[in-house]
Every structure is written in C-alpha cells, then in structure tokens.
C-alpha cells in the first residue's frame, strides 16, 4: 500500500502563490504516477496535474502556465507550486497515487481558498 499526506493549503489573495506538498510512503516502487485532484463545492473532482514515474507531467488547461508539479525523490515528496491563483482555484486538493493496486488518494485533502 501507499500512504499519502498533503500539506501546504491555506488562504491567499488572488494573484498569490501556494505550494502544496504530498509526502509519499509505503510501496513507492509500485507507483506509476502521482496526481493532484481538486474538488470545489458542488463540483466534481477534477484532475489538476500529474507526474509519472518517468517524470512526464500533464496539466488541465485551466492551470497550464500557472501550476507546476515536481518531485523530490530524496524526500519522497511531490509538490504542486501554484502561482497567479484565482478564486476559481478554491477547492480541496487531494494527492493520489496511481499504482499497481489502483488509484488511492489521501483521506482529507488540503483546503485552498483564494479570495478576490
């Protein structure tokens, strides 16, 4: 199994920045990709960004050029750097691991609130 713990959410004004962290532990060798999802009130969960085991990255169109996903293998941590934040980015952000066991996400996520 893979365990995931997010941190780094908070309240920021529009135009500001936040960096989310996802600490990964457990069967790390079984991971194919790490995803960041978000879910805003009344909306479906949305895939925001992903990084594969080979280092490839993908982003939803709405965050391209503003968000950057990266990883620090020595720290077993994946980051989501979020710049030029907009009120529409307000959501609970979840870190998820796509592994040989399927897709598993952290439990509670981290709240990101962007004020206008």
């Amino acid at each position: 199994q893979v365990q995931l713990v997010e941190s780094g959410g908070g309240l920021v004004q529009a135009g500001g920045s936040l960096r989310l962290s996802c600490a990964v532990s457990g069967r790390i060798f079984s991971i194919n990709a790490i995803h960041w999802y978000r879910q805003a009130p009344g909306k479906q969960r949305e895939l925001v960004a992903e990084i594969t085991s080979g280092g490839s990255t993908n982003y939803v169109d709405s965050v391209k050029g503003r968000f950057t996903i990266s990883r620090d293998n020595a720290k077993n941590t994946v980051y989501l750097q979020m710049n030029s934040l907009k009120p529409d980015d307000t959501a609970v952000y979840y870190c998820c691991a796509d592994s040989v066991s399927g897709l598993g996400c952290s439990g509670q996520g981290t709240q990101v609130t962007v004020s206008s």
Side-chain angles (χ1 to χ4, degrees):
Q1 273 192 328
V2 176
Q3 291 79 44
L4 307 161
V5 178
E6 306 111 335
S7 61
L11 173 63
V12 65
Q13 288 188 333
S17 299
L18 284 173
R19 189 178 77 161
L20 305 183
S21 299
C22 175
V24 185
S25 61
R27 297 169 63 88
I28 295 175
F29 62 88
S30 70
I31 295 174
N32 297 315
I34 295 289
H35 310 290
W36 282 101
Y37 283 83
R38 67 186 179 187
Q39 187 165 21
K43 295 186 178 181
Q44 290 188 330
R45 188 172 292 195
E46 173 187 44
L47 177 60
V48 176
E50 63 181 9
I51 185 166
T52 70
S53 57
S56 298
T57 58
N58 292 290
Y59 302 90
V60 67
D61 285 346
S62 60
V63 307
K64 285 181 180 177
R66 301 189 297 121
F67 290 12
T68 302
I69 189 170
S70 63
R71 67 187 182 198
D72 184 332
N73 290 333
K75 295 182 178 180
N76 291 330
T77 300
V78 174
Y79 303 99
L80 185 66
Q81 178 67 43
M82 305 185 295
N83 299 328
S84 302
L85 283 162
K86 305 175 181 179
D88 283 350
D89 295 317
T90 295
V92 178
Y93 285 70
Y94 299 89
C95 175
C96 302
D98 181 1
S99 72
V100 295
S101 301
L103 184 68
C105 298
S106 62
Q108 59 186 30
T110 186
Q111 177 70 47
V112 171
T113 302
V114 184
S115 62
S116 57

